[in-house]
Amino acid sequence: MSRMQIGELAEKAGVSHRTIHFYERLGLVSPAERHGTGYRYYDDVSLKRLEKIGALKRLGLSLEEIGEVIDLYFEDATGVKGKRRVLEILEGHLASTRAKIAELKTFEGELEANVSRMRTLIAEASGQSDAA
């Protein structure tokens, strides 16, 4: 198990120091050890967690959702528990997205009807004012 300070971890994970500190505050990552001097030392598990967080973010999970699943990946060597929970979350996102699309299609139809109605009203008003 290698031991690294935050700068090395940040470089290997491709994130900033601030991101690591932020993830620590959220409980997503924690140092393997701390010294009285204030130095934090991280290990390979910390790096793997940061890599998993990045992968989960790319799937569209929020940090809150990542907090729900991240430990599952490290409790179960197969990762199946984490993957099942991610699948549930993604299916929820898909259902929500489909519902929003349906709402937008309804709204689009209403807008088209309103545009048509306004065009008719303008045409009628223009025809009446031309005759007067």
Side-chain angles (χ1 to χ4, degrees), residues 2 4 6-15 44 47 50-51:
S2 66
M4 59 194 114
I6 194 166
E8 184 181 356
L9 177 66
E11 184 177 325
K12 285 184 177 184
V15 299
D44 292 331
L47 178 59
L50 288 171
E51 290 168 347

Side-chain angles (χ1 to χ4, degrees), residues 72-129:
L72 297 175
Y73 281 96
F74 293 91
E75 293 168 2
D76 171 21
T78 66
V80 172
K81 288 180 182 178
K83 289 175 179 144
R84 283 189 179 134
R85 182 63 187 122
V86 167
L87 177 60
E88 291 172 6
I89 291 169
L90 293 176
E91 288 173 335
H93 286 207
L94 183 58
S96 175
T97 299
R98 287 179 173 157
K100 289 175 187 175
I101 288 170
E103 288 174 19
L104 285 170
K105 285 182 179 182
T106 299
F107 183 60
E108 179 185 34
E110 292 169 356
L111 282 173
E112 287 172 344
N114 289 335
V115 166
S116 178
R117 188 173 23 253
M118 290 307 296
R119 286 186 174 143
T120 300
L121 290 171
I122 290 169
E124 289 172 358
S126 295
Q128 289 176 353
S129 63

Side-chain angles (χ1 to χ4, degrees), residues 22-99:
F22 181 62
Y23 290 170
E24 280 185 31
R25 285 193 301 278
L26 296 177
L28 300 177
V29 176
S30 58
E33 49 182 291
R34 290 178 189 249
H35 286 276
T37 58
Y39 286 112
R40 297 175 172 119
Y41 291 96
Y42 300 88
D43 57 15
D44 292 331
V45 173
S46 299
L47 178 59
K48 286 180 180 18
R49 287 180 75 91
L50 288 171
E51 290 168 347
K52 181 56 70 180
I53 291 166
L56 293 169
K57 283 177 66 178
R58 286 188 295 279
L59 287 175
L61 272 67
S62 68
L63 290 176
E64 182 179 327
E65 292 166 333
I66 291 170
E68 292 176 29
V69 302
I70 189 85
D71 289 335
L72 297 175
Y73 281 96
F74 293 91
E75 293 168 2
D76 171 21
T78 66
V80 172
K81 288 180 182 178
K83 289 175 179 144
R84 283 189 179 134
R85 182 63 187 122
V86 167
L87 177 60
E88 291 172 6
I89 291 169
L90 293 176
E91 288 173 335
H93 286 207
L94 183 58
S96 175
T97 299
R98 287 179 173 157

